[in-house]
Amino acid sequence: MRMKMEKNTTAENEEKMPLWEVFSQAKSGKPHTHVGSLHAPDGTMALQNARDAYARRGSASLWVVPAEAIIASTPEDSPMFFDPAEDKVYRHPQFYKIPRSVRL
Amino acid sequence: MSLNAEIRGQLFNYLLRHADDRLVLGHRLSEWCGHGPMLEEDLALANIALDLIGQASLFYKLAAETEANGRSEDDLAFLRDSAEFRNLQLVEQPNGDFAYTIARQFFFDVYDVLFLEQLSLSTEAEISAIGAKALKEAQYHLRHTQQWMLRLGDGTEESHRRLQDAVDDLWRFTQEMFVPDELDHTLTAEVIAPDLETLRSSWQESVEQTLREATLELPEDSQYMTSGSRGGYHTEHLGYLLAEMQVMQRTHPGAAW
Amino acid sequence: MESQPHIRDISGNTALDEAQRVKRFEERIQAGERIEPKDWMPDVYRRQLTRMISQHAHSEVVGMYPEGNWITRAPTLRRKLGLLAKVQDECGHGLYLYCAAETLGVDRSDLTDELLSGKAKYASIFNYPTLSWADIGVIGWLVDGAAIINQTPLAKCSYGPYARAMVHICKEESFHLKQGYEIVTKLAQGNSAQKEMVQESVNRWWWPVLMMFGPSDSDSSNSEDLMRWKVKLFSNDSLRQRFVNGSVAQAKAVKLTLPDPDLRFNEESGNWDYGTINWDEFWQVVKGHGPCNRERMRMSRKKHNDGRWVREAARAYSARHPEK
């Protein structure tokens, strides 16, 4: 694959296209889930591209979100974000006892 | 279908011309596969091509049933010569650059949405069913090409120039879409087919609006306008397209694939 | 997408040194956990994955050319639709994979530059020409069949975005395989010209397809790290053997001959033994001296260069109309 190049083909000074994250709802009533990403100059084209790239075999609804708009927790956040939830047993129904004979 | 033999014969020819439009245009778009300006657009153009070729299959199938002469949809697509093809000259024009393809597609899509809206009201159930199915697809095609008309027209100096050239060059193929011939008149009278003349003003209005928004000039009407497509008159390009498309069927007559 | 070690200090944990990080990373992998983009990972893992995923993406995209070559000549409407949808899927797969690679902190345009400059590699199989319609069937059957065997394990690899892309891709590949085998079956049951056409095609593709699994285990670099990190789960030779075993029966079912006189069943191992692969040819093609390397690269560069003014226009328009 090492070939002589025409000039200007590698020196790519072309501006990058923004990245969009795509969420698709498989069926009406289901949640939108992340299915992938794509590049598009703007939201209108991103949505159309999402349709062609991620809904070829069906979808009920699509969202596109600029990738840079997503604020994500980091692995370093995980201990303080998520560990404290693990021992809060009183948030779960099994924590509470009611007489066996009663149906709630 | 409980139509008399004469109308059936007319209907066969009518279905063929609309099948041919879709096959030829779908074929042209399929030539883009792998060569588009970004991967995302390769996917989009292939989708439109698939829709159109799928619609062509439905029209050919119904045509073959209407003819009831033992020919299949593939016989109709692959074993007729250029002079027997009844597609618009617009759709057989080579792809050119991306602007040329988009302008060609835009002119067709505006027409196609209007045409299919009416076709889906046909009194013939099979025809209205194809019309309704194809309409949903055409509405999406139009949305896609319209967005590109705006982006290329109102994009850079280069894209504006390329698209204006394409619009000017293709304009001569656009008027015959709305010129009905005897076949159209007969089937319109039977409320089987749309009245093409009623589509013209909506097409003109819609096209003018998009061109304006895309900062493009409307071409002058005084130039040479093509005619005769529906009678089998074509540009030189169709012969090559068919030679390529039909090569397997022509080389191996009677083989199953 | 670099991880941010300083945050760990703020949250009260002691900063880990490199060796400890690697140890924790490997423990997570051994425990079957998936690595996600923001997780810490060794530089070598990041580099190897970027290389692997982007090569895979390039292969899908370049892979559009050999089959795309027959879209305009497909013999029936049904075949035309099937082939176009298939080549379109390959484009989609390229896109999914570039996205997975981008989670590792590279941009698609940089990866494309590497492809166009000849720095990045893609699957050698796509440097062979499609000379007859039968090639479309045989590619679907053998090339996609081999790809599925290669790729199915990747859906369980340790890097989350790659594994998820592969789940998506493998589902779509099964349509490709069936489409191919259907075409082959039809030709094998067809007239004498068709039978000859499909056998000739199998003869041409069989050996290059065996090369798709990569060099013999004894000659394969990079393998050890990749296996430990569960990026690669099976060795090249074991996947190749699995493919040969499956293909023998599939060829027999449609009365086609695989062009290898040394092919015979080994009672002891339960495998089909096969002849010697011409690795000289393999390395020649990898180095750019295959039948179509130049055409494929020329096409790829043309696509990119011809599209530049379109991409520029789209960007200029959205800069001018930020409300869109």
Side-chain angles (χ1 to χ4, degrees):
Chain A
M1 257 162 286
R2 291 189 203 297
M3 301 181 42
K4 248 193 223 154
M5 299 286 308
E6 304 110 24
K7 281 203 177 109
N8 295 329
T9 46
T10 49
E12 182 66 80
N13 41 17
E14 195 179 319
E15 215 185 304
K16 295 182 182 359
M17 280 278 180
L19 184 67
W20 303 76
E21 299 296 337
V22 182
F23 298 80
S24 167
Q25 184 187 36
K27 274 186 197 150
S28 143
K30 301 274 181 196
H32 285 74
T33 49
H34 183 244
V35 287
S37 57
L38 51 80
H39 289 269
D42 51 59
T44 307
M45 291 308 278
L47 190 59
Q48 291 191 15
N49 293 342
R51 184 256 192 191
D52 293 315
Y54 292 102
R56 290 201 302 287
R57 288 174 172 81
S59 169
S61 158
L62 285 169
W63 294 345
V64 288
V65 180
E68 58 177 27
I70 294 179
I71 318 288
S73 68
T74 65
E76 289 73 17
D77 291 335
S78 291
M80 64 170 162
F81 264 52
F82 308 120
D83 291 355
E86 282 168 16
D87 60 359
K88 305 293 190 289
V89 285
Y90 46 81
R91 290 195 202 277
H92 300 281
Q94 304 89 304
F95 183 69
Y96 301 96
K97 309 264 181 291
I98 54 159
R100 267 175 197 278
S101 53
V102 180
R103 288 177 64 119
L104 283 184
Chain B
M1 260 182 244
S2 59
L3 298 169
N4 69 44
E6 196 198 321
I7 296 281
R8 284 178 79 91
Q10 306 238 30
L11 191 55
F12 169 73
N13 286 318
Y14 186 77
L15 290 167
L16 270 191
R17 57 173 69 165
H18 295 290
D20 290 346
D21 277 350
R22 281 146 226 280
L23 178 60
V24 171
L25 186 55
H27 182 97
R28 282 293 186 218
L29 288 178
S30 79
E31 293 171 1
W32 271 101
C33 192
H35 307 283
M38 11 187 340
L39 294 181
E40 284 82 351
E41 191 56 25
D42 279 310
L43 292 172
L45 292 177
N47 261 353
I48 300 178
L50 285 167
D51 285 346
L52 289 168
I53 299 170
Q55 294 167 14
S57 301
L58 295 175
F59 277 113
Y60 283 131
K61 195 158 181 287
L62 187 56
E65 285 165 19
T66 306
E67 187 191 37
N69 200 15
R71 282 204 284 185
S72 69
E73 61 252 49
D74 284 325
D75 294 338
L76 295 175
F78 294 94
L79 297 175
R80 284 179 305 133
D81 290 329
S82 165
E84 298 169 85
F85 264 70
R86 292 291 185 265
N87 59 280
L88 296 163
Q89 292 174 43
L90 173 71
V91 300
E92 72 201 32
Q93 296 313 302
N95 287 336
D97 62 7
F98 185 69
Y100 203 81
T101 292
I102 288 296
R104 183 187 65 197
Q105 192 65 34
F106 172 70
F107 288 151
F108 182 80
D109 289 343
V110 176
Y111 149 82
D112 202 27
V113 167
L114 295 167
F115 171 75
L116 292 170
E117 276 171 357
Q118 295 302 312
L119 194 74
S120 62
L121 304 175
S122 169
T123 51
E124 281 302 307
E126 285 112 323
I127 294 180
S128 82
I130 297 176
K133 181 197 178 290
L135 176 59
K136 285 188 213 162
E137 295 172 342
Q139 283 165 334
Y140 181 77
H141 305 165
L142 176 58
R143 182 164 159 177
H144 190 78
T145 46
Q146 215 161 16
Q147 290 300 332
W148 273 118
M149 288 295 287
L150 300 180
R151 276 158 183 75
L152 299 182
D154 194 14
T156 61
E157 222 169 281
E158 181 181 5
S159 68
H160 179 89
R161 173 180 54 76
R162 285 174 182 265
L163 186 57
Q164 184 69 60
D165 287 350
V167 164
D168 292 346
D169 194 70
L170 289 163
W171 191 252
R172 66 199 145 114
F173 298 109
T174 57
Q175 294 310 302
E176 65 167 331
M177 296 191 274
F178 309 105
V179 182
D181 60 6
E182 213 172 304
L183 177 54
D184 287 305
H185 286 308
T186 312
L187 294 179
T188 302
E190 299 279 334
V191 205
I192 292 173
D195 179 353
L196 293 176
E197 275 174 322
T198 64
L199 310 181
R200 187 198 295 266
S201 63
S202 304
W203 185 88
Q204 187 82 18
E205 204 177 300
S206 181
V207 166
E208 276 180 31
Q209 196 190 331
T210 300
L211 291 184
R212 207 176 314 122
E213 206 186 324
T215 72
L216 294 162
E217 302 277 332
L218 188 71
E220 299 210 0
D221 256 342
S222 60
Q223 60 172 298
Y224 165 75
M225 289 290 174
T226 59
S227 60
S229 294
R230 298 307 192 193
Y233 187 77
H234 292 285
T235 56
E236 291 171 346
H237 307 292
L238 183 65
Y240 292 97
L241 183 152
L242 295 181
E244 187 175 348
M245 188 175 82
Q246 300 178 337
V247 64
M248 295 301 292
Q249 291 268 357
R250 301 285 192 183
T251 314
H252 304 272
W257 303 96
Chain C
M1 290 265 181
E2 289 299 314
S3 57
Q4 302 161 346
H6 62 279
I7 293 177
R8 193 169 284 276
D9 296 330
I10 296 167
S11 65
N13 292 314
T14 45
L16 300 171
D17 68 21
E18 179 78 7
Q20 284 172 301
R21 284 172 180 279
V22 173
K23 188 166 168 281
R24 257 220 75 204
F25 172 82
E26 294 195 341
E27 282 166 3
R28 289 187 59 196
I29 288 185
Q30 286 317 310
E33 279 183 49
R34 288 280 166 80
I35 305 303
E36 293 298 333
K38 294 197 170 194
D39 294 348
W40 186 88
M41 59 188 86
D43 279 346
V44 188
Y45 179 85
R46 185 184 298 275
R47 273 205 309 275
Q48 290 277 20
L49 264 172
T50 308
R51 183 186 59 87
M52 230 174 116
I53 303 175
S54 57
Q55 270 186 18
H56 192 168
H58 297 328
S59 302
E60 296 280 358
V61 173
V62 176
M64 294 170 77
Y65 294 120
E67 287 173 282
N69 186 32
W70 280 87
I71 291 173
T72 54
R73 289 177 290 172
T76 67
L77 293 168
R78 181 164 180 269
R79 293 288 175 225
K80 206 175 181 70
L81 289 167
L83 180 58
L84 180 54
K86 184 194 169 196
V87 179
Q88 184 197 36
D89 272 351
E90 272 149 23
C91 180
H93 297 173
L95 188 127
Y96 307 157
L97 288 162
Y98 281 126
C99 294
E102 287 187 290
T103 63
L104 290 160
V106 288
D107 190 274
R108 191 203 297 176
S109 58
D110 299 325
L111 299 175
T112 305
D113 285 349
E114 284 183 12
L115 172 69
L116 301 183
S117 68
K119 200 177 143 214
K121 302 226 181 308
Y122 57 87
S124 287
I125 193 74
F126 301 122
N127 289 315
Y128 289 87
T130 50
L131 302 175
S132 75
W133 169 252
D135 289 6
I136 299 308
V138 170
I139 287 179
W141 168 37
L142 294 178
V143 175
D144 292 327
I148 289 173
I149 287 179
N150 252 335
Q151 292 170 3
T152 309
L154 291 173
K156 295 194 176 107
C157 80
S158 63
Y159 187 58
Y162 194 20
R164 288 191 289 274
M166 290 315 301
V167 170
H168 202 158
I169 289 172
C170 286
K171 265 189 218 158
E172 297 183 351
E173 287 285 348
S174 61
F175 137 60
H176 300 175
L177 175 64
K178 280 194 176 171
Q179 185 221 214
Y181 197 69
E182 188 191 277
I183 293 173
V184 166
T185 308
K186 206 79 183 168
L187 293 172
Q189 295 165 349
N191 63 33
S192 61
Q194 288 175 305
K195 282 183 183 145
E196 207 172 296
M197 191 193 291
V198 68
Q199 182 61 57
E200 187 274 337
S201 173
V202 170
N203 295 349
R204 251 184 309 115
W205 287 96
W206 175 252
W207 289 103
V209 168
L210 289 191
M211 297 175 198
M212 284 175 69
F213 295 91
S216 265
D217 296 345
S218 50
D219 300 323
S220 177
S221 51
N222 304 330
S223 265
E224 212 174 289
D225 279 347
L226 294 178
M227 304 246 319
R228 192 174 69 248
W229 289 335
K230 296 196 180 169
V231 172
K232 195 169 167 171
L233 293 127
F234 298 97
S235 74
N236 294 350
D237 285 334
S238 69
L239 292 171
R240 185 164 19 238
Q241 185 66 60
R242 194 183 299 173
F243 172 76
V244 172
N245 290 351
S247 301
V248 170
Q250 291 158 12
K252 202 176 159 205
V254 287
K255 299 196 175 71
L256 287 167
T257 312
L258 298 176
D260 179 358
D262 295 326
L263 198 63
R264 58 180 56 87
F265 190 68
N266 182 328
E267 298 281 352
E268 210 170 299
S269 63
N271 289 320
W272 284 85
D273 292 340
Y274 51 92
T276 312
I277 293 170
N278 181 352
W279 291 112
D280 270 354
E281 177 182 327
F282 173 75
W283 290 114
Q284 282 298 311
V285 181
V286 169
K287 285 175 188 148
H289 310 302
C292 299
N293 297 58
R294 281 166 188 273
E295 283 82 353
R296 304 295 184 241
M297 290 308 291
R298 197 177 295 137
M299 278 296 184
S300 304
R301 284 200 287 269
K302 185 171 180 340
K303 170 183 170 65
H304 189 72
N305 291 337
D306 287 356
R308 179 173 290 123
W309 68 269
V310 179
R311 298 189 295 273
E312 280 167 1
R315 274 192 298 268
Y317 179 85
S318 46
R320 206 172 305 132
H321 301 273
E323 75 284 1
K324 308 272 174 175

